[in-house]
Amino acid sequence: MAPQTSKAILPDDKKFPSLLPANSDESPVVIQWIDSVYNSMHLYSYGLDKKVFFLASKGYEYLKDQNMLDKPGLLTICDYTKSSKQKRLYVLDMVNGKVLYHSYVSHGKNSGAEFATSFSNKAESHKSSLGFMVTGDTYMGKSGYSLHLDGKEKGFNDRVRDRAVVMHGSRYVSSTRASEGDEMGRSFGCPAVPYNTHKDIINTIKGGSCFFIYAEDKLYKSTSKIINARFSWPVNAPNIINDTVQQ
């Protein structure tokens, strides 16, 4: 039996209550909230750009408001603005203010070499897809223990499950390759993570948490219904608890 997909695709409308002006990233309330969370979690020390965190947080809050997350509280960010030689996957506990994982991650082989610069939602493109997704169920496949992803942005990633774009472990994604100055190996579009930590990462985020893949792509930035939506942000930042991140 084919696994069930999680929730629905993002609705086409933008009926999302707002306290913000259209140019929401200029709202002092939002900036203050983002600064508080970003600084308290020391995300700058992990190399996560505040702009990327802003967009990821916006989509995370949006999906929560739409009741599309069965596992709220976790936010995974895959930042393809960075070189594959760098750690660019972040798993964040947004409730307790913890960075749970900071890891290397691959991109699709036709998306680029060291940097991912080209993206697709088409079958057999062997490219990564951008945007907000929700983690699904796990299974044992050709690449071992793997995690289904369900895209929530029509035209950008709503075909990832049909394309078998999943998270899995890979030996071509490792700190050893990075230390030798090599770019990570590339996939058929899957965000593959190091084999020695893939089960821990998958088991943490599986079952309905927010998963965001971002790159500097003009089409996505200008037409995504999520990052261009208007809505109410939470007032209070998470409770910040110091914790040791798994590297």
Side-chain angles (χ1 to χ4, degrees), residues 9-15 62 154 225:
I9 297 297
L10 184 73
D12 287 335
D13 61 79
K14 297 183 183 179
K15 295 179 180 178
Y62 189 110
K154 188 174 181 179
K225 288 183 169 60

Side-chain angles (χ1 to χ4, degrees), residues 80-150:
Y80 283 159
T81 67
K82 297 185 177 301
S83 163
S84 66
K85 297 178 182 180
Q86 297 175 281
K87 292 183 178 182
R88 53 184 183 169
L89 183 87
Y90 307 81
V91 179
L92 309 180
D93 179 343
M94 296 294 284
V95 175
N96 297 303
K98 301 177 183 179
V99 180
L100 301 180
Y101 295 97
H102 183 211
S103 177
Y104 297 101
V105 62
S106 70
H107 57 255
K109 69 176 189 177
N110 288 339
S111 284
E114 179 182 346
F115 289 88
T117 57
S118 180
F119 306 93
S120 178
N121 194 35
K122 295 180 180 179
E124 305 302 325
S125 66
H126 295 171
K127 293 184 179 183
S128 299
S129 295
L130 294 176
F132 287 91
M133 310 177 198
V134 174
T135 62
D137 50 350
T138 59
Y139 69 101
M140 290 297 297
K142 293 181 179 179
S143 299
Y145 191 56
S146 304
L147 174 68
H148 281 297
L149 299 170
D150 293 303

Side-chain angles (χ1 to χ4, degrees), residues 39 50 59 63 92 103 106 110 125 143 145 174 231-232 241 245:
N39 293 332
K50 189 183 295 185
L63 294 180
L92 309 180
S103 177
S106 70
N110 288 339
S125 66
S143 299
Y145 191 56
S174 68
F231 67 102
S232 300
I241 299 176
V245 62

Side-chain angles (χ1 to χ4, degrees), residues 154-240:
K154 188 174 181 179
F156 288 106
N157 60 29
D158 57 312
R159 296 178 180 173
V160 291
R161 185 176 278 250
D162 292 338
R163 293 175 57 205
V165 172
V166 301
M167 175 176 277
H168 60 80
S170 175
R171 290 186 172 84
Y172 58 71
V173 180
S174 68
S175 57
T176 300
R177 291 182 68 97
S179 64
E180 294 174 349
D182 295 329
E183 63 195 44
M184 296 301 111
R186 290 165 289 158
S187 66
F188 283 178
C190 298
V193 294
Y195 194 80
N196 62 343
T197 57
H198 79 286
K199 289 183 179 179
D200 291 335
I201 294 175
I202 287 173
N203 285 334
T204 298
I205 69 175
K206 67 181 181 181
S209 68
C210 181
F211 193 99
F212 180 48
I213 297 180
Y214 181 74
E216 289 291 339
D217 182 84
K218 290 181 179 179
L219 179 63
Y220 178 71
K221 289 171 65 176
S222 63
T223 61
S224 166
K225 288 183 169 60
I226 296 183
I227 65 172
N228 292 298
R230 300 178 61 198
F231 67 102
S232 300
W233 288 72
V235 175
N236 297 319
N239 295 320
I240 305 303

